[in-house]
Every structure is written in structure tokens, then in C-alpha cells.
Amino acid sequence: MAEALLTLAGISRSFGGLAAVQDVSLAVEEGRLCALIGPNGAGKTTLFALMSGFLKPDSGTVRFAGQDITGREPHRNALLGMTRTFQIVKPFAAQTVRENIAVGAHLHERSRGIALARAEAVAQQVGLARQIDKLASDLTVAGRKRLELARALATQPRLLLLDEVLAGLNPQEIAEMMPVVRGIAASGVTVLMIEHVMQAVMHLAEHVWVLAQGRLIAEGSPAEVTSNDKVVEAYLGHGTAARLRAAGAAA
């Protein structure tokens, strides 16, 4: 059986007395669109930082594309093909959309002309073609989210880690962004997304891991994890699953 594109084995990280991530193991197969979900403070973004090299684990290993990359610097992981986005987007405000995206393209491309051409193709892919010469500072929240996605995509990743790319968007903007994410996965990029918008998780993800208080508590299809008692209680509180079942039986 072929090795997964990304494998975490026993990853843990504490900050002082707080165990932010505890003994997490998972494997992301190449070509899949997967999601990591969990309540606020579950440790999801910390886990992304441990995967991508922005933080070093206290214990455990990270393997990507057949290599042990535990604690390796983010820029080296990006060169290998792992790129992430961030919840709080920070574009180069005084530069155009085209110039912002070209920054990502320069990871593999020295030529300015080729990087700018690559930026144009990526802008088309994420729905920013009409705004490509607009200053990043003039974009809406939805536009900035697309730009963050485009800058990461321009690095030509094999694995794209999306950290709440739909956060802050209204329902129409979410509906418009979902086909963009699906299209990226269809192009051959493996996607692992942190997401709170369950509508998107249900419609996009093939496989879901659920993190609560730093531990993985469930995994499976979106339908399987959202019907799991542990998951229901992690989001809604202890005893909720039993109360919901009792209410359903009484109805």
C-alpha cells in the first residue's frame, strides 16, 4: 500500500501547562479533499502549524511526500509542496492582486514575467481575473480571502492547507467560494481544510477528522462524524446527544 501524502504520528505540543495538541495521528491520502473540524480552541490551527513547520512538536513525527519533515522550516516544506493559508489574511496592501499572487509564484520561478503570467492564470482559477489590477487594499473581505487562496495556489502545492478560508463570508459568498475549492481539488491538489461552516464540510469533504481539547475524537465521512455522539457533545455540551435522542423518540 502506497504511503499517504501526509502522515502525522503521535503529534503533541504543549504551551506551559496547556496541552494544545495531544497524541494526534492521521494520514491524508493524495488527491483527496478532507476537513479538520472541532469547536473553538480545539487545537486545529496549532495542528496546522505543527504540520507545516511554523511550530515544532514536543513529540511525534510528521511525514510529507515520503520524507520526515518534523520541525522543518515552512519555506522548505513549501518548496517540497506543502502550502498553507491563514485565518487572518494579510495581503501586501499597496500591491495589485497580480503582484500579490506573483509573490507565491516566485517560490519556483525566478523570471518576473513568467511569475506575473502564472499569477494571471491563478487569478482566473480563483475568480479574481476581473480584479487582477486592483490594489489588494481595495478588495472586499471575500476578495481578500480569494487572494490568500491564490497566493498559496501560486506556489504550485501538492498539499494545500486551508485555515478557515470561508470565515467571515456571507452565505452567498460561501456558496460562490465552494466551487473554487472543489475545482482546486479536481485539478489534482490535495486539500485539507479547517472549517467551521458545516454546510461546506458536508458538501466538500470526502473525509473528516474531529479535534476536541487537542485530541482526535472521531473520523469518517461528514455524515458519520456529524452523527457521532462524541462530536455532538464536543460542540453542544455533555448530555446533549442523549437529550436529542430522547426528544426524537418523543416526537
Side-chain angles (χ1 to χ4, degrees):
M1 185 175 178
E3 182 176 12
L5 181 60
L6 174 71
T7 304
L8 308 186
I11 290 292
S12 297
R13 175 65 191 244
S14 296
F15 299 96
L18 173 65
V21 172
Q22 304 179 65
D23 194 28
V24 170
S25 298
L26 59 82
V28 179
E29 296 177 10
E30 189 154 20
R32 304 198 79 186
L33 200 171
C34 304
L36 177 66
I37 67 171
N40 287 328
K44 302 182 298 298
T45 294
T46 299
L47 189 58
F48 258 26
L50 292 165
M51 292 177 187
S52 53
F54 286 88
L55 288 174
K56 293 183 179 181
D58 295 329
S59 60
T61 58
V62 181
R63 291 186 62 82
F64 175 69
Q67 297 186 30
D68 185 338
I69 62 164
T70 310
R72 183 183 288 182
E73 299 90 338
H75 71 274
R76 294 177 63 197
N77 293 333
L79 283 167
L80 193 59
M82 183 197 301
T83 307
R84 65 162 296 183
T85 66
F86 292 86
Q87 289 180 37
I88 300 173
V89 298
K90 295 181 178 179
F92 299 107
Q95 293 187 334
T96 65
V97 168
R98 187 195 307 267
E99 290 166 337
N100 267 270
I101 301 173
V103 171
H106 274 302
L107 179 69
H108 296 291
E109 183 53 63
R110 284 189 172 187
S111 165
R112 184 63 172 166
I114 294 176
L116 290 170
R118 169 70 180 159
E120 190 166 344
V122 173
Q124 181 74 40
Q125 187 175 0
V126 302
L128 284 175
R130 293 184 178 180
Q131 302 180 77
I132 194 166
D133 293 314
K134 180 181 286 190
L135 289 177
S137 58
D138 293 337
L139 294 175
T140 62
V141 171
R144 291 186 182 199
K145 286 285 187 175
R146 288 177 186 256
L147 180 55
E148 177 79 355
L149 181 57
R151 290 197 302 179
L153 196 57
T155 67
Q156 302 178 50
R158 289 180 65 183
L159 173 64
L160 186 56
L161 304 175
L162 301 181
D163 195 348
E164 295 197 44
V165 73
L166 304 178
L169 305 186
N170 64 40
Q172 180 178 340
E173 291 165 342
I174 290 170
E176 291 170 349
M177 182 69 98
M178 284 169 57
V180 175
V181 176
R182 189 179 290 114
I184 290 169
S187 74
V189 178
T190 304
V191 176
L192 176 60
M193 58 192 301
I194 290 175
E195 197 49 69
H196 280 291
V197 181
M198 291 308 298
Q199 171 198 3
V201 173
M202 295 297 289
H203 285 86
L204 290 174
E206 302 170 71
H207 193 86
V208 180
W209 290 273
V210 186
L211 199 66
Q213 298 180 328
R215 293 186 179 276
L216 283 181
I217 60 169
E219 68 170 287
S221 69
E224 287 170 341
V225 299
T226 52
S227 62
N228 184 301
D229 286 358
K230 289 183 179 180
V231 177
V232 172
E233 298 203 349
Y235 276 95
L236 301 177
H238 181 70
T240 302
R243 288 194 295 272
L244 289 174
R245 280 197 301 274

